[in-house]
């Protein structure tokens, strides 16, 4: 695997490559990232990964400074897996050589709901850096995990609306055996919090089961899940049942007609904010 830190070296490595498959990450790689690399390997050649902790997508009181940076270990993991041909690991000056005044953001209907409501500049930061990374790598396909469900939809909408010739592939959420979705932030959980953490997914399953069983007052079901989380020591931002296709709330008729739905959540346990979702 070649490790490059500049856009010029990246472009040298990728010259003439028209079928690149790209996996953008912020590093601190775990098994879920490695599954994204494997999916990329099945859909393109060469596979390009990036590691860049993107300041632009963190709010002023968020965990940019303590976000785990483990480049040496990440390189070892990728070397062992052998799926990746080039790792692009730029520093901040390479990605943002001047203040990034030219930014893009999704429209309100997708960008200001759920995560966008609680992290106002998050999707601006994600869309802007993903567009910049796509411009550096020029991939034919790119792989994103479904754990960041709304991010996946934002990136898809951006590609569609800017007519970018990049196919976006989604990888299922990878979970520990007890149900906790893998995330770089799980390492911040204390032993007691780690034992509690799978209950976030447990609440999503409860909401799904209640809606499937015919409870159509889903606002009540959501409120009940939020209260249960609070009783267990969580500080939830939202638990919300939405349509898969546009993340808007479903109508009663759509629920009865079995519209594909997803229940999404974000909640803080101690100082760690976790997100998760479940399609049904
Ligand atoms: O999901 C992530 O790790 C990041 O949001 C991404 C897509 C790499 C952009 O910084």
């Amino acid at each position: 695997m070649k490790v490059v830190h500049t856009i010029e070296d990246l472009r040298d490595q990728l010259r003439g490559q028209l079928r690149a498959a790209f996996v953008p990450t912020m590093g601190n790689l775990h098994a879920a990232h490695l599954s994204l690399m494997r999916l990329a390997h099945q859909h393109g050649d060469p596979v390009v990964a990036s590691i860049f902790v993107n300041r632009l997508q963190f709010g002023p009181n968020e965990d940019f400074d303590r976000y785990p940076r483990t480049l040496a270990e990440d390189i070892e993991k990728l070397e062992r897996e052998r799926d990746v041909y080039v790792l692009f690991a730029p520093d901040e000056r390479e990605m943002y050589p001047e203040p990034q005044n030219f930014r893009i953001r999704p429209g309100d209907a997708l960008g200001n709901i759920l995560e966008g409501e609680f992290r106002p500049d998050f999707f601006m930061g994600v869309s802007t850096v993903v567009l910049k990374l796509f411009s550096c790598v020029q991939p034919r396909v790119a792989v994103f995990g479904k754990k960041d469900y709304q991010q996946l939809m934002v990136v898809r909408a951006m590609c569609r609306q800017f007519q970018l010739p990049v196919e976006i592939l989604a990888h299922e959420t990878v979970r520990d055996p007890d149900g906790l979705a893998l995330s770089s932030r799980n390492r911040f959980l204390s032993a007691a919090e780690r034992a509690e953490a799978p209950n976030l997914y447990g609440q999503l399953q409860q909401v799904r089961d209640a809606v499937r069983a015919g409870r159509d007052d889903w606002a009540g079901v959501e409120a009940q899940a939020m209260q249960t989380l609070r009783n267990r020591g969580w500080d939830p931002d939202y638990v919300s049942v939405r349509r898969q296709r546009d993340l808007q709330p479903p109508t009663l008729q759509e629920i009865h007609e079995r519209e594909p739905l997803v229940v999404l959540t974000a909640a803080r346990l101690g100082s760690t904010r976790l997100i998760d979702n479940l399609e049904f």
Side-chain angles (χ1 to χ4, degrees):
M1 182 177 75
K2 315 257 190 298
V3 181
V4 296
H5 300 283
T6 66
I7 296 167
E8 193 182 348
D9 287 349
L10 175 71
R11 291 199 168 129
D12 275 351
Q13 290 297 332
L14 294 179
R15 209 169 295 287
Q17 302 283 6
L18 299 176
R19 297 186 54 247
F22 178 42
V23 186
T25 80
M26 296 205 299
N28 194 236
L29 304 181
H30 46 65
H33 292 113
L34 301 178
S35 318
L36 303 185
M37 310 290 166
R38 280 195 285 279
L39 184 63
H41 193 62
Q42 290 162 19
H43 289 269
D45 180 34
V47 174
V48 183
S50 67
I51 293 181
F52 178 63
V53 184
N54 174 38
R55 187 189 291 275
L56 210 57
Q57 71 191 66
F58 288 79
N61 300 317
E62 293 181 358
D63 55 357
F64 175 77
D65 287 330
R66 74 164 184 161
Y67 200 86
R69 289 155 174 88
T70 52
L71 185 61
E73 287 101 308
D74 292 346
I75 290 174
E76 267 174 36
K77 285 180 191 162
L78 292 176
E79 295 272 17
R80 263 200 307 276
E81 287 291 317
R82 300 169 144 267
D83 287 323
V84 176
Y85 172 68
V86 184
L87 171 65
F88 177 45
D91 66 12
E92 228 172 314
R93 248 179 319 150
E94 186 66 13
M95 284 308 283
Y96 297 115
E98 57 186 91
Q100 184 72 32
N101 300 322
F102 207 124
R103 302 166 174 198
I104 58 166
R105 63 168 66 243
D108 292 354
L110 183 57
N112 281 1
I113 58 170
L114 303 166
E115 282 301 280
E117 184 184 336
F118 291 91
R119 303 184 70 189
D121 283 334
F122 175 64
F123 291 121
M124 175 281 294
V126 168
S127 327
T128 303
V129 82
V130 171
L131 185 60
K132 282 168 77 94
L133 289 166
F134 281 3
S135 153
C136 298
V137 176
Q138 307 210 346
R140 192 188 67 78
V141 302
V143 182
F144 290 80
K146 276 196 191 176
K147 185 176 80 68
D148 296 281
Y149 203 86
Q150 193 175 0
Q151 166 174 283
L152 171 68
M153 295 193 64
V154 164
V155 171
R156 283 202 159 126
M158 175 184 82
C159 290
R160 217 173 42 243
Q161 296 194 4
F162 285 108
Q163 277 107 350
L164 303 182
V166 186
E167 182 189 348
I168 304 301
L169 301 177
H171 192 289
E172 291 303 323
T173 301
V174 181
R175 298 181 183 281
D176 273 337
D178 60 9
L180 178 64
L182 298 195
S183 161
S184 300
R185 290 186 169 98
N186 292 352
R187 60 153 51 197
F188 297 137
L189 298 169
S190 67
E193 289 165 351
R194 175 63 190 81
E196 169 58 27
N199 285 306
L200 189 62
Y201 184 50
Q203 282 310 305
L204 296 180
Q205 290 171 311
Q206 300 261 349
V207 172
R208 174 200 59 194
D209 293 347
V211 176
R212 267 197 185 150
R215 273 201 54 189
D216 44 25
D217 63 325
W218 67 93
V221 175
E222 291 167 358
Q224 198 178 330
M226 300 263 286
Q227 192 51 50
T228 306
L229 285 171
R230 277 189 207 103
N231 295 345
R232 302 188 68 96
W234 296 76
D235 176 16
D237 283 342
Y238 58 85
V239 174
S240 194
V241 176
R242 299 295 171 114
R243 301 192 294 230
Q244 286 182 24
R245 62 187 150 100
D246 58 5
L247 292 188
Q248 294 304 309
T251 62
L252 259 184
Q253 189 181 348
E254 284 168 339
I255 291 199
H256 291 149
E257 289 170 357
R258 299 217 147 224
E259 166 83 26
L261 301 174
V262 54
V263 52
L264 306 103
T265 187
R268 216 164 276 99
L269 189 56
S271 60
T272 309
R273 188 173 182 275
L274 300 178
I275 61 170
D276 203 350
N277 66 79
L278 177 61
E279 291 179 313
F280 60 101

